Amino acid sequence: MAAALDAARRGWGRTAPNPMVGAVVVRGSEVVATGWHAEFGGPHAEAMALAQAGDRARGATVYVTLEPCAHTGKTPPCADALIRAGVARVVIAARDPNPVARGGAERLRAAGIEVVAGIREREALDLNASFHFSFGAERPWVTLKLALSIDAAIADAGGRSKWITGPAARAGGHALRAGSDAVAVGIGTALADDPSLTVRDAAPPRVPPVRVVFDRRARLPLESALARTAREAPVVVIAQAAGAGRRAALEGAGVEVLDAPTLEGALAVLRGRGIASLLVEGGAALAAAFLERAFVDRLVIFQAPVVLGAGALRPFERTPAADISAATRLRVVERETFGDDLMTVYALRELPCSPD
């Protein structure tokens, strides 16, 4: 299953709105085929693996990171392909939350195939967290990415945040963008840093992420990198009190202006627009607002070996105080070094495991 999970990751940024899925075909102790869902609309992981395995799939065990689908969409049902291939056993990491596609496990069992579910399920849920969360959710799955100093500052006393981390960590941040439906900043960051919020230092995604600015009065300058490139990749401004003139100017540049009176309303608007995963990149005020309202599902911290000291901006200052004896200890989802910087992914929300 570990190999299947690794294979699934090869679809990063290319499969949405489908999940990333990997499959491994094993006969005895020999791995005879490995497949993954490489591109939205293309063959599913099971189909790729079965095509590689050929006749060796008969009597084999197939390890798959998501329950094989039981419906005809852009491709035929994977459960039926496994049955036709004559596999003896299917081991599933996570059940499919999609009410249209799920049911493959039951179809396989009805055909006399042994099915085992729940193997390395937590890792499989983490891999496709936004997909699993999206069914019935009224907001996107939110990942907050922060580049922090050792003393937990996001910017120095003058508000400057370029560049706390090094080039390798910034490339890691671009990979996060590639796996997200949308990337968001606050207007303060947009004005101070003039970011483009595009994917540059990572493999390009199939669909460029929507670029979102939380901008109460629609102050995004028309000469900003975001406004100037709004016709190349979508830019959305979330406003509360946009004047008619500012709205018309931004819309004339190709920027979409959406109204939302609250942060909760803004997230609902984005979800209604089809955004299932949102990467929030700051700045300090926007990060604090998301944390304060418990809208952060995954917290990604890139910590650099620098100290910014007195007066620096710190995103956790508005979070509620906690007694040290009762403070929640967050699960570490992933930890990786990027040059001298350390990336840690924390789970602020857990997805429920299947009762199966």
Side-chain angles (χ1 to χ4, degrees):
M1 190 61 78
L5 287 163
D6 285 342
R9 293 183 182 96
R10 300 183 67 168
W12 184 266
R14 307 299 303 177
T15 66
N18 284 354
M20 294 172 283
V21 182
V24 173
V25 181
V26 178
R27 285 194 65 152
S29 59
E30 180 189 3
V31 173
V32 298
T34 300
W36 62 92
H37 186 31
E39 188 90 8
F40 175 74
H44 287 189
E46 300 94 322
M48 178 189 284
L50 290 173
Q52 289 178 18
D55 291 341
R56 292 177 296 174
R58 186 162 300 278
T61 294
V62 178
Y63 294 83
V64 62
T65 59
L66 186 71
E67 178 184 9
C69 61
H71 85 303
T72 300
K74 292 185 177 297
T75 62
C78 291
D80 291 356
L82 291 164
I83 294 168
R84 288 195 302 272
V87 305
R89 184 169 176 256
V90 176
V91 181
I92 298 167
R95 296 296 296 265
D96 195 330
N98 186 344
V100 175
R102 67 188 176 202
E106 287 74 21
R107 187 174 294 188
L108 292 169
R109 287 180 177 130
I113 295 172
E114 180 187 356
V115 176
V116 178
I119 304 302
R120 303 188 79 145
E121 182 177 15
R122 178 57 60 196
E123 293 167 75
L125 293 173
D126 286 337
L127 179 66
N128 290 300
S130 63
F131 171 76
H132 287 277
F133 181 76
S134 66
F135 293 93
E138 296 181 354
R139 64 167 179 86
W141 178 262
V142 175
T143 298
L144 173 61
K145 188 209 82 173
L146 298 174
L148 300 180
S149 62
I150 290 174
D151 52 338
I154 196 173
D156 64 19
R160 294 175 291 271
S161 60
K162 286 187 173 181
W163 294 101
I164 291 178
T165 55
R170 295 199 292 274
H174 279 243
L176 291 176
R177 290 180 182 178
S180 304
D181 292 338
V183 182
V185 295
I187 184 58
T189 297
L191 294 175
D193 296 345
D194 191 27
S196 63
L197 302 182
T198 54
V199 178
R200 300 182 300 280
D201 296 328
R206 184 180 68 88
V207 178
V210 176
R211 299 169 294 167
V212 178
V213 183
F214 286 84
D215 183 6
R216 184 173 302 177
R217 296 191 297 278
R219 293 186 291 148
L220 184 69
L222 295 180
E223 63 273 16
S224 66
L226 288 166
R228 285 187 289 103
T229 59
R231 299 192 189 281
E232 300 169 18
V235 176
V236 173
V237 162
I238 303 291
Q240 292 181 14
R246 287 299 304 157
R247 179 186 295 273
L250 286 170
E251 290 178 342
V255 175
E256 186 178 356
V257 181
L258 301 176
D259 295 300
T262 64
L263 182 55
E264 183 175 14
L267 292 175
V269 165
L270 292 174
R271 184 70 189 95
R273 197 185 177 282
I275 292 171
S277 59
L278 177 67
L279 176 65
V280 178
E281 294 198 354
L286 185 64
F290 270 84
L291 288 166
E292 184 180 21
R293 291 164 176 78
F295 286 142
V296 178
D297 303 301
R298 290 290 181 270
L299 176 61
V300 181
I301 290 182
F302 288 87
Q303 191 164 41
V306 298
V307 176
L308 297 181
L313 301 179
R314 294 178 171 83
F316 297 103
E317 291 184 344
R318 284 167 49 185
T319 55
D323 185 282
I324 193 168
S325 63
T328 301
R329 291 192 174 273
L330 303 175
R331 178 172 65 92
V332 174
V333 176
E334 182 182 355
R335 190 166 273 149
E336 184 177 352
T337 56
F338 290 85
D340 292 331
D341 304 316
L342 174 65
M343 181 197 76
T344 307
V345 181
Y346 297 96
L348 274 65
R349 187 179 312 280
E350 296 287 12
L351 294 165
C353 290
S354 169
D356 188 0

